[in-house]
Every structure is written in C-alpha cells, then in structure tokens.
Amino acid sequence: MNNTFMKIYNSKNKMSVKFKLNDKNLVKEVEPRLLLSDFLRYDCNQTGTHVGCEHGICGACTILYNNKPIRSCLMLAPQINNSEITTVEGLANDHNYKDVREGLKKHHALQCGYCTPGFFITIISILNEKTIFNKAQIKEKLSGNICRCTGYAGIVDAVSEIIKKRYK
C-alpha cells in the first residue's frame, strides 16, 4: 500500500464535522471511515439508532437526514457535515407524534423493540408526506424495515389508522 494513502486514511487523521443533531448544533471530530450509525451510537450517545445488518436491509438504523429517511449504516460520519440529523431520541417526546406512539401501542404493533426506532422514523417520514395511503401503499413504504416478531399487520393497521385520523 502506498505511503500517501496510509497518511490520508490513517485512523489518527480526524475530520471536523459541523451538524445539527436533534435540533442541537454540534461540532465533532470523526475518523474518515467511521460509519454514521457507529458515530451516532458511540460518539453522540444516540443508542436508539440500532445496528442490525450493516447492509441497509433491516432498517433498524434508519434516521432522518435533512428530513429524509436514510440507513445510517450505509453512510460515513463525515458525510453529515452541514446537515441536519434526527434520531428517534429527537422525536421521543415530540407531542406531534403522540398519536404514533399510541397507535402502535393500541395495535400491539411492536414487540421486542429492536426494530422500533427504525419503524418509528419511517412512519414519521410517511406522515410527513401528508398523503392518504391505502394499506398496500403503506406496506410498500414500510418494506425497508424488517421485524421478526409481529408479522407487520399491526404496524400497517396502526399507520393506516393514524393517517385516516390525521388527514380525513
């Protein structure tokens, strides 16, 4: 391996990133090859960002990146420079999403909790579209999240009910 490459990508070379995390402005030093999911969990203490597959398939690490859902295991931490990040912790006490929490509970939609943060973020992004979706469309929009406990019916029913109540 050439010496220049090793100097540039040596883990001792950190980069400064300026970003907004859950409405709080931050500046942090990050390693160039650090995954965003690991950065959020270990450097920012946002442990609701779960890491399941590290391939972007399961959806457990879903966050909002500039108000769009993304898989944080597929992005490097330096890429968030000058961006806005929202994790499930940033939405946990937001009264605008009380109906989501209540709907998921009412329909027994989530069980073990591992996939919950990713589903919650995905559901928020669906609701932010302010569109009435039918159950087939909801299933399609949720298809990037895997849950091994529920069978999805309760999740789809909860989202469908929330949408109907919000956007009659």
Side-chain angles (χ1 to χ4, degrees):
M1 198 148 306
N2 90 32
N3 224 5
T4 306
F5 177 83
M6 291 308 291
K7 280 183 181 176
I8 294 170
Y9 290 103
N10 186 328
S11 65
K12 293 178 185 172
N13 293 330
K14 293 194 174 189
M15 304 171 72
S16 182
V17 289
K18 183 175 106 177
F19 61 102
K20 186 179 271 193
L21 177 62
N22 300 328
D23 292 322
K24 186 177 179 182
N25 291 316
L26 296 173
V27 177
K28 295 240 183 202
E29 296 293 313
V30 300
E31 293 182 14
R33 297 180 290 173
L34 181 64
L35 290 176
L36 178 55
S37 54
D38 292 333
F39 173 68
L40 291 171
R41 288 182 59 77
Y42 302 116
D43 294 319
C44 300
N45 201 32
Q46 301 299 292
T47 57
T49 304
H50 292 165
V51 179
C53 66
E54 294 187 358
H55 296 290
I57 297 167
C58 74
C61 68
T62 304
I63 61 166
L64 293 176
Y65 170 76
N66 294 329
N67 294 313
K68 302 281 185 215
I70 61 124
R71 305 293 189 256
S72 62
C73 73
L74 296 178
M75 191 170 189
L76 295 173
Q79 292 176 283
I80 66 169
N81 195 40
N82 298 315
S83 298
E84 185 174 333
I85 302 297
T86 305
T87 65
V88 71
E89 289 90 347
L91 301 172
N93 296 314
D94 190 325
H95 71 301
N96 293 316
Y97 304 115
K98 182 179 179 187
D99 59 339
V100 177
R101 291 186 291 277
E102 290 173 351
L104 292 170
K105 183 178 177 181
K106 175 184 173 187
H107 290 276
H108 307 285
L110 303 166
Q111 293 175 18
C112 82
Y114 197 81
C115 67
T116 302
F119 268 106
F120 194 81
I121 294 283
T122 302
I123 292 166
I124 296 310
S125 71
I126 293 169
L127 295 174
N128 287 343
E129 292 184 48
K130 296 183 169 117
T131 303
I132 297 175
F133 295 108
N134 62 38
K135 286 189 176 185
Q137 292 168 316
I138 293 168
K139 285 180 188 177
E140 176 67 28
K141 292 196 168 285
L142 293 172
S143 67
N145 295 75
I146 295 174
C147 176
R148 296 180 180 199
C149 301
T150 65
Y152 303 98
I155 299 168
V156 172
D157 290 344
V159 174
S160 178
E161 184 176 288
I162 295 162
I163 287 172
K164 287 177 185 169
K165 286 180 179 178
R166 279 190 175 205
Y167 309 117
K168 300 178 199 183

